[in-house]
Amino acid sequence: MNVSSERSVSLWMATVREWRAQPLTTDERADVVVVGSGIAGLSTAYELCRQGQSVVVVDRGAIGRGMTARTSAHLASVLDDFYHKLIGIRGRDEARHYLDSQRAALDRVEQIQQSEEMDCDFRRLDGYLFAASDDHVSLLEREIDACHSLGFSEVAWDAMPGAEDGGEHRCLRFPNQGRFHPLKYIEGLIRCIERDGGRLYAETPIVSVEEKGSETIVRTQNGNEIRARAAVIATNSPINDWIAVHTKQAPYRTYVIAGRVPSGTVTDALYWDTLDPYHYVRLQPSGAEHDWLIVGGEDHKTGRANDQPERIARLTEWAKAHYPSMGDPEYSWSGQVMEPVDHLAYIGRNPGNENIFIVTGDSGEGLSNGVAGSLILRDLVLGRDNAWAGAYQPNRISISAAGEYISENLTMPANLAEHLTGGEMSSVDELKPGEGGLVRRGTAKLAAYRDDGGELHLRSATCTHAGCVVHWNGFERCWDCPCHGSHFSVDGEPLNAPAFKPLAVAQE
Ligand SMILES: Cc1cc2nc3c(=O)[nH]c(=O)nc-3n(C[C@H](O)[C@H](O)[C@H](O)COP(=O)(O)OP(=O)(O)OC[C@H]3O[C@@H](n4cnc5c(N)ncnc54)[C@H](O)[C@@H]3O)c2cc1C
Ligand code: FES
């Protein structure tokens, strides 16, 4: 079970069938074990298989159905936190390494889908960053200067195509970006991994990761072991790290809608505005009659809002104002990204380990970060140097990001204090079918949900990762942890890392 059990269904999930893979029921050995089968895990497995390594991939749920199935799939070397800010925090050299690695990631996707003959709707196209209002133009001025200083010289001023009322705002054009159907690409990777001898196991939750001498041992919930020379933990948020990396990134929920537009009415490109949270837009082709217009935004810190219908309504209103040819949304879904405090993902050796590697801190660029991660981890696992690895080192501390670090880390103490406050309702009798909420029972806080049939599901509200109080998510009908982004089903099963233990059962 994983986030594919949450209630919303993305355009991608609706158009590609789930890959069938068996759970692991015996012990296994391999050169490398990869935990997590999203873009990061499968891209790493692909690269290692191509290098002749024997690889086992395990996932707690269906293969490729984590956050990668909930993306909007802009493939961008544009940085959503802006290059001028990154240079301020990490310096020009590291910003240049980041840019180079993101460009290489896009090139790698293009190369793989071409050489492996994947039919995944990949296309190179322009990306447009447009000022949401006139007073945001100065932000674009700083960004184009920063891009040029890094050698991203193709970035140029332009007028907005497509968005019918956005043309008056100045915008920046970033050539050579990309888009694809993420699950068609994932399916292509799976076929290649299996062709190259890789073994994939679904519905196999991992509950421990250990390094013993020159060996790594990964244990499944059912007690099986996978022994390998190296382990890559690509669970989006690491399950093998209790707190260190988790203090350097914060989980945000983000929302997406997709509606039809008549073919040819919106220019096939990537679009972002400069608001915070920003809107992100792209097209997905769908035959001669219409395209899908995909519009995302309305992000909030995980667990901090439960007003999703209003957020979807605002997204729809914004989309229709900018793209009047768009029909009513036929898909709406949500997902989560992990925002690193200094804008770059954490990819490399897990702090304190020699042969355990992590890839996390995906941010709004998790696809290109996952692919860049696969190139970095391929080299590190094989004992080679990698020029970009320094920029992404998981054990780094960015003094210049101290303010962001402190503000994001206020979530945990504030949340832990919730253990002492009252519940959101005085009795579970107040819950109508389909509703969830927190209720106090003596010293404990309980997560209560009444299903559509009227049955009550009662669990401890204490997150099994590090003890925070989970919050109800009515849109996805799951429990979200505001501290480090774990999600749990209404029956307490972990759906999203870092947690891997269920919420404790509570008595009625
Ligand atoms: C709405 C939305 C829009 C986005 N838009 C973009 C975009 O336009 N461009 C972009 O580049 N990025 C975008 N992102 C981010 C990007 O999609 C993600 O960062 C990326 O897909 C994450 O890939 P991953 O491999 O790290 O994680 P996942 O795809 O989540 O894969 C992790 C896997 O690990 C498994 N797992 C977890 N715990 C365990 C365990 N204990 N045992 C075994 N397996 C486990 C999970 O089941 C899951 O399948 C977006 C994200 C969202 C949610
Ligand atoms: S995710 Fe860390 S405490 Fe819940």
Side-chain angles (χ1 to χ4, degrees):
M1 212 178 190
N2 62 7
V3 293
S4 62
S5 300
E6 294 182 12
R7 196 160 66 138
S8 72
V9 174
S10 70
L11 172 63
W12 322 119
M13 292 156 82
T15 48
V16 169
R17 251 190 285 154
E18 238 173 61
W19 187 264
R20 286 198 172 276
Q22 297 302 314
L24 179 65
T25 53
T26 57
D27 291 349
E28 271 278 21
R29 264 186 193 279
D31 290 328
V32 185
V33 52
V34 176
V35 184
S37 66
I39 188 81
L42 290 176
S43 299
T44 307
Y46 173 84
E47 297 298 345
L48 290 165
C49 283
R50 297 308 295 153
Q51 298 293 315
Q53 299 288 294
S54 72
V55 178
V56 165
V57 180
V58 276
D59 200 290
R60 63 162 306 111
I63 300 290
R65 296 284 161 148
M67 290 306 165
T68 302
R70 295 176 167 270
T71 185
S72 62
H74 296 55
L75 291 171
S77 52
V78 175
L79 174 60
D80 66 354
D81 288 313
F82 303 122
Y83 281 103
H84 64 269
K85 290 192 180 157
L86 180 63
I87 292 171
I89 291 181
R90 302 291 304 277
R92 210 170 296 282
D93 285 347
E94 293 200 346
R96 197 170 286 121
H97 283 314
Y98 174 77
L99 172 61
D100 289 348
S101 67
Q102 298 292 307
R103 282 171 154 170
L106 267 58
D107 290 347
R108 189 67 181 138
V109 173
E110 180 169 31
Q111 217 173 47
I112 289 174
Q113 60 84 35
Q114 207 166 41
S115 64
E116 301 287 4
E117 298 180 353
M118 292 178 188
D119 186 8
C120 66
D121 307 325
F122 177 87
R123 193 178 163 215
R124 286 281 189 176
L125 33 65
D126 290 332
Y128 292 89
L129 175 64
F130 63 99
S133 60
D134 287 341
D135 55 353
H136 283 203
V137 172
S138 63
L139 193 151
L140 299 187
E141 285 166 353
R142 271 175 281 154
E143 190 59 2
I144 192 170
D145 287 349
C147 288
H148 288 174
S149 78
L150 297 175
F152 203 167
S153 50
E154 317 89 281
V155 180
W157 289 104
D158 208 335
M160 267 291 283
E164 289 155 40
D165 83 336
E168 74 272 20
H169 294 311
R170 295 182 77 190
C171 74
L172 298 182
R173 180 166 54 82
F174 295 76
N176 226 11
Q177 306 301 297
R179 57 116 165 110
F180 62 6
H181 187 308
L183 292 185
K184 290 185 183 173
Y185 183 73
I186 288 291
E187 191 174 297
L189 286 180
I190 296 170
R191 287 182 198 282
C192 295
I193 293 166
E194 291 199 333
R195 175 200 63 199
D196 294 344
R199 288 154 282 167
L200 291 107
Y201 298 100
E203 307 301 336
T204 303
I206 296 303
V207 295
S208 88
V209 183
E210 187 191 348
E211 190 170 55
K212 227 177 185 177
S214 58
E215 199 172 44
T216 60
I217 307 167
V218 162
R219 291 190 181 82
T220 72
Q221 189 170 273
N222 290 342
N224 292 119
E225 285 183 355
I226 308 159
R227 289 175 180 258
R229 195 166 40 76
V232 172
I233 310 305
T235 49
N236 196 240
S237 180
I239 54 165
N240 54 319
D241 175 288
W242 183 65
I243 208 79
V245 170
H246 299 292
T247 61
K248 299 193 282 190
Q249 59 184 8
Y252 283 77
R253 274 271 179 195
T254 177
Y255 298 85
V256 183
I257 54 172
R260 292 170 201 242
V261 286
S263 295
T265 55
V266 176
T267 304
D268 192 6
L270 310 183
Y271 305 93
W272 305 268
D273 70 12
T274 49
L275 293 172
D276 183 16
Y278 61 90
H279 294 98
Y280 45 98
V281 181
R282 60 160 282 198
L283 276 192
Q284 172 62 19
S286 176
E289 298 283 301
H290 77 273
D291 298 320
W292 292 107
L293 186 71
I294 299 169
V295 180
E298 289 290 334
D299 309 10
H300 60 80
K301 268 195 100 166
T302 293
R304 286 276 178 84
N306 191 20
D307 57 351
Q308 295 88 351
E310 286 89 334
R311 286 172 192 270
I312 298 292
R314 282 199 295 271
L315 263 187
T316 306
E317 194 184 333
W318 185 92
K320 289 196 169 188
H322 287 75
Y323 303 93
S325 62
M326 184 187 178
D328 287 337
E330 290 172 50
Y331 296 94
S332 54
W333 68 92
S334 81
Q336 180 175 279
V337 294
M338 304 302 300
E339 289 293 344
V341 293
D342 66 358
H343 308 324
L344 293 196
Y346 302 98
I347 301 168
R349 275 195 174 76
N350 187 53
N353 290 123
E354 191 54 33
N355 294 312
I356 300 175
F357 301 85
I358 57 170
V359 44
T360 188
D362 51 9
S363 186
E365 275 95 28
L367 297 176
S368 46
N369 276 329
V371 179
S374 73
L375 302 175
I376 295 169
L377 295 181
R378 174 200 63 195
D379 288 349
L380 298 186
V381 167
L382 297 177
R384 301 173 185 162
D385 289 338
N386 182 288
W388 312 314
Y392 291 99
Q393 260 181 9
N395 63 0
R396 69 180 185 265
I397 294 168
S398 297
I399 302 296
S400 326
E404 193 67 13
Y405 178 85
I406 291 165
S407 98
E408 289 294 10
N409 278 290
L410 292 175
T411 301
M412 193 163 174
N415 178 287
L416 290 173
E418 288 179 27
H419 283 290
L420 305 174
T421 60
E424 293 164 342
M425 53 196 167
S426 50
S427 157
V428 292
D429 297 341
E430 293 171 31
L431 283 177
K432 297 193 184 72
E435 286 182 355
L438 298 173
V439 65
R440 174 158 289 290
R441 282 276 170 84
T443 56
K445 229 171 191 178
L446 302 184
Y449 166 69
R450 191 175 298 287
D451 66 27
D452 290 333
E455 191 188 333
L456 186 66
H457 303 245
L458 211 51
R459 295 291 180 274
S460 161
T462 303
C463 174
T464 53
H465 172 236
C468 287
V469 177
V470 296
H471 289 187
W472 178 241
N473 179 334
F475 182 66
E476 298 293 359
R477 289 202 182 168
C478 69
W479 297 99
D480 285 353
C481 183
C483 288
H484 316 109
S486 297
H487 308 165
F488 299 87
S489 77
V490 293
D491 287 322
E493 282 304 309
L495 301 175
N496 199 60
F500 51 82
K501 291 186 198 143
L503 298 176
V505 176
Q507 298 307 317
E508 268 190 55

